[in-house]
Amino acid sequence: MKRKAAEVTREYGPFPGVEKIHGVSFDGKDVWFGAGDTLQSMDPASGTPQRKLDVAAHAGTAFDGKHLFQIAENRIQKIDPKTGRILHSIPAPGNGTDSGLTWAEGTLWVGQYRDRKIHQIDPETGRILRTIESNRFVTGVTWADGELWHATWENDESSLRRIDPNSGEVLDQLDMPQGQLISGLEIGGDSFYCGGGPSGKIRAVRRPGR
């Protein structure tokens, strides 16, 4: 395993009326984040808030190229980002203990925090297709360029880990500065966008080799 310090390149927020950042996603232009009672977006170039949808957003957020997916308590809701309308809902595999969420390979990938697992699930039914074990608490989950990364939050410390999607072996680890914790996670271009939990902030971390 290669291990080094994470390079935080920018901080965004805190945002008006947002006490905690839950899930984080990226639609190719804006960063979306779950804020409890709303799902919001901001421009990562300027940090300016953009949209606000009145939907429950308690944990992970994902984007499939057209729709948003959002964990709300023990459900995963498919949302039209233009209107905020809920189009479909499936049970979350952790029944309320779910954390991160991302889209890859035509499926959803869901982190289970204290169970230290990542599930690949069918986005239509919620059926579990595969489970990967971790040896740390799992918060955010993201895929990009064939790489599976997840965030950890344990003992007031957080890190970003690239893992083998078949074995769960940790291949790379980026350790966040002391006190900078990660809730949601998504890769966008050269950066990881990391939700900062109760700080109300989102932090950009440089992707290795970029």
Side-chain angles (χ1 to χ4, degrees):
M1 176 183 70
K2 299 175 184 177
R3 185 172 185 175
K4 63 180 183 179
E7 183 184 349
V8 178
T9 58
R10 187 165 179 180
E11 284 193 350
Y12 304 93
F15 303 94
V18 176
E19 294 183 1
K20 294 181 180 179
I21 303 292
H22 300 285
V24 176
S25 194
F26 181 66
D27 67 7
K29 178 177 178 286
D30 291 335
V31 173
W32 288 86
F33 56 95
D37 295 328
T38 58
L39 181 56
Q40 302 188 29
S41 67
M42 64 102 181
D43 178 356
S46 66
T48 306
Q50 299 294 305
R51 309 256 332 272
K52 182 187 291 187
L53 304 178
D54 289 324
V55 295
H58 302 129
T61 309
F63 181 71
D64 70 355
K66 185 176 180 180
H67 301 103
L68 291 161
F69 292 82
Q70 178 62 56
I71 296 175
E73 295 183 348
N74 62 352
R75 307 288 296 177
I76 299 174
Q77 297 180 333
K78 182 179 180 179
I79 301 163
D80 182 338
K82 294 180 181 178
T83 65
R85 188 163 68 92
I86 296 170
L87 306 174
H88 185 54
S89 177
I90 58 174
N95 194 33
T97 65
D98 310 272
S99 51
L101 186 68
T102 197
W103 176 271
E105 302 177 351
T107 58
L108 289 167
W109 298 73
V110 189
Q112 269 193 270
Y113 180 58
R114 292 190 177 276
D115 288 343
R116 306 182 185 198
K117 294 177 181 178
I118 299 168
H119 299 296
Q120 180 188 19
I121 68 169
D122 184 317
E124 294 298 319
T125 66
R127 182 171 66 90
I128 295 175
L129 307 174
R130 180 170 26 151
T131 298
I132 302 169
E133 303 277 348
S134 174
N135 62 0
R136 301 286 285 178
F137 289 164
V138 176
T139 55
V141 181
T142 188
W143 272 94
D145 304 321
E147 296 180 354
L148 174 59
W149 290 79
H150 80 84
T152 69
W153 178 346
E154 199 162 346
N155 299 325
D156 292 325
E157 295 178 349
S158 278
S159 61
L160 295 158
R161 292 176 142 201
R162 181 169 73 91
I163 63 172
D164 185 305
N166 296 308
S167 67
E169 177 189 357
V170 180
L171 306 174
D172 291 285
Q173 179 166 316
L174 306 177
D175 296 316
M176 291 294 284
Q178 186 69 34
Q180 294 190 8
L181 305 173
I182 303 175
S183 48
L185 172 68
E186 186 72 291
I187 289 174
D190 294 341
S191 298
F192 296 100
Y193 292 106
C194 305
S199 72
K201 296 181 178 181
I202 294 172
R203 297 181 177 96
V205 172
R206 190 181 308 281
R207 287 178 65 186
R210 298 281 170 155

